[in-house]
Amino acid sequence: MIDLPEETLKTYQDCKNNFEEQLISIRQECEFIKKDFLAKDFNIYNSEAEINACYSFFLQFVPYLNHLIYFSKDEEVISKLKSCGFTYATLKWMIDINEIESEIRRLEKIEGLLIFPDSYLYSCIFYVSSKFRLNALEYFIGNVSYNGIVTNKIHVDFTKRIRRRNYNHNNKSKLSKDEFENLMNEQIDLLEKKSIENGKDKSKSIKSLLKLLHGDCGSIYELFQFSTKGISKSSFYFEFFTLLKIIVKDKKLKSETEFFDNTTEQFYNNDYRLYRISKVKDVLNLK
């Protein structure tokens, strides 16, 4: 933690309070979501079905998607997701909110480091939930060529939807009668609302989401801002490694034991601290 001027300290305290409220809200909502999810009968996925049928299948899970990511250690939820057709490529993005909470609390206590805990919590959830949806949609709905580039259909769908939203807003058009259109617009509304609640520019959050849907994770650096005083940025990268390891599931970030058990890590001079710093910079696309 860094000594802060009075005005900044007040902002920080507000962020701390928001952090605590977010955690309480997540846990309360998860209790309801789990009960409802386990009680619901879902249609069976058919990989040979037409695209509209695949959309309809996926629509069943829209009310639950924002919370399914939190059940990484819940065998009942995972078992049901598997029975519905969800594969490891998607399920690996599920997280334990307790682990994330613990790491954020540890980071904010480090002398000479300033982070805003509510922003970090929001960023972790935003990143993981985006990846969770992306992998599920790519598996259940598939990819398509768009502007000469192969990308997932949901990225194309969101790109066109944002344009339609802007057009409809400017022309004060009424909501579409299409169920999928309205449900997906509700998801964008939720993202914009959460962005505003967390003091973020909603247009930037939309752009970040579109990048993530396209598989571009370069914007992850923008999600995790920090300030240091009396310690180096490298010290932050070293400390941040553990939290990053929890949420970045498509890159192999080794534990200390795994690092020293691997005889091919000579590039890092057998230095695990150097490895951690280097890997964080790689993930954040920093030089």
Side-chain angles (χ1 to χ4, degrees):
M1 183 62 179
I2 294 174
D3 289 333
L4 301 173
E6 185 174 345
E7 185 175 342
T8 307
L9 181 60
K10 184 181 182 305
T11 300
Y12 174 76
Q13 291 297 337
D14 289 342
C15 291
K16 285 267 293 181
N17 293 336
N18 191 35
F19 173 70
E20 303 295 348
E21 290 170 1
Q22 284 186 64
L23 289 170
I24 292 171
S25 177
I26 288 170
R27 290 180 171 118
Q28 289 177 341
E29 291 170 357
C30 279
E31 290 183 14
F32 170 78
I33 288 293
K34 176 181 177 180
K35 182 178 180 180
D36 191 53
F37 176 73
L38 293 177
K40 185 175 178 62
D41 292 325
F42 294 96
N43 296 330
I44 302 300
Y45 175 64
N46 178 7
S47 60
E48 303 298 324
E50 296 293 328
I51 186 63
N52 285 343
C54 292
Y55 271 125
S56 295
F57 169 82
F58 191 79
L59 275 175
Q60 302 173 100
F61 301 96
V62 170
Y64 307 97
L65 287 178
N66 289 332
H67 290 85
L68 288 176
I69 60 169
Y70 301 117
F71 294 97
S72 65
K73 295 184 178 179
D74 191 307
E75 290 301 323
E76 286 185 291
V77 173
I78 292 174
S79 178
K80 182 153 188 174
L81 283 169
K82 288 180 178 178
S83 71
C84 291
F86 283 75
T87 65
Y88 172 75
T90 301
L91 299 180
K92 72 180 182 181
W93 288 101
M94 297 170 72
I95 54 174
D96 181 351
I97 194 65
N98 296 315
E99 292 180 353
I100 288 178
E101 175 192 359
S102 177
E103 269 307 298
I104 293 175
R105 291 190 189 280
R106 185 185 68 82
L107 286 172
E108 67 170 336
K109 291 177 181 177
I110 294 175
E111 191 67 31
L113 173 65
L114 173 65
I115 67 166
F116 290 95
D118 63 331
S119 178
Y120 269 53
L121 179 61
Y122 166 83
S123 296
C124 287
I125 293 169
F126 172 73
Y127 181 78
V128 173
S129 62
S130 297
K131 287 291 192 176
F132 181 84
R133 290 192 203 88
L134 170 62
N135 279 272
L137 282 160
E138 284 186 338
Y139 178 74
F140 291 124
I141 299 177
N143 295 323
V144 68
S145 179
Y146 182 67
N147 290 336
I149 300 174
V150 176
T151 185
N152 61 84
K153 293 178 181 177
I154 197 63
H155 174 259
V156 177
D157 185 85
F158 260 74
T159 300
K160 293 179 178 179
R161 177 167 287 104
I162 295 300
R163 290 174 181 168
R164 287 197 298 272
R165 280 169 63 90
N166 293 336
Y167 175 82
N168 291 339
H169 176 74
N170 292 334
N171 291 275
K172 298 182 180 180
S173 301
K174 294 182 179 179
L175 287 174
S176 167
K177 294 182 179 180
D178 182 84
E179 180 187 11
F180 183 78
E181 178 84 5
N182 290 333
L183 281 171
M184 295 306 286
N185 274 315
E186 287 178 5
Q187 296 300 302
I188 299 174
D189 289 339
L190 179 62
L191 171 60
E192 291 181 342
K193 179 182 177 182
K194 290 292 185 183
S195 297
I196 294 171
E197 288 176 353
N198 287 280
K200 295 181 178 293
D201 186 324
K202 65 180 183 180
S203 65
K204 288 185 178 180
S205 293
I206 292 295
K207 289 179 181 178
S208 293
L209 175 60
L210 288 172
K211 286 182 180 180
L212 286 170
L213 288 174
H214 190 50
D216 179 3
C217 298
S219 61
I220 187 174
Y221 174 69
E222 299 172 9
L223 298 176
F224 297 99
Q225 297 299 302
F226 65 95
S227 296
T228 59
K229 185 177 182 180
I231 65 172
S232 65
K233 288 185 177 180
S234 293
S235 294
F236 167 75
Y237 300 145
F238 173 78
E239 298 290 353
F240 185 54
F241 176 88
T242 306
L243 181 60
L244 206 60
K245 190 175 188 297
I246 293 172
I247 67 170
V248 178
K249 307 295 186 74
D250 53 353
K251 295 183 182 294
K252 179 60 178 176
L253 301 179
K254 297 175 182 177
S255 66
E256 188 170 6
T257 300
E258 291 171 328
F259 176 81
F260 286 112
D261 283 348
N262 191 329
T263 57
T264 65
E265 295 295 357
Q266 296 178 0
F267 177 78
Y268 300 99
N269 299 320
N270 216 31
D271 185 339
Y272 186 57
R273 177 182 176 84
L274 176 60
Y275 169 82
R276 285 172 59 140
I277 293 170
S278 298
K279 286 300 180 182
V280 169
K281 293 174 72 174
D282 287 345
V283 173
L284 298 182
N285 287 336
L286 301 173
K287 294 182 179 180

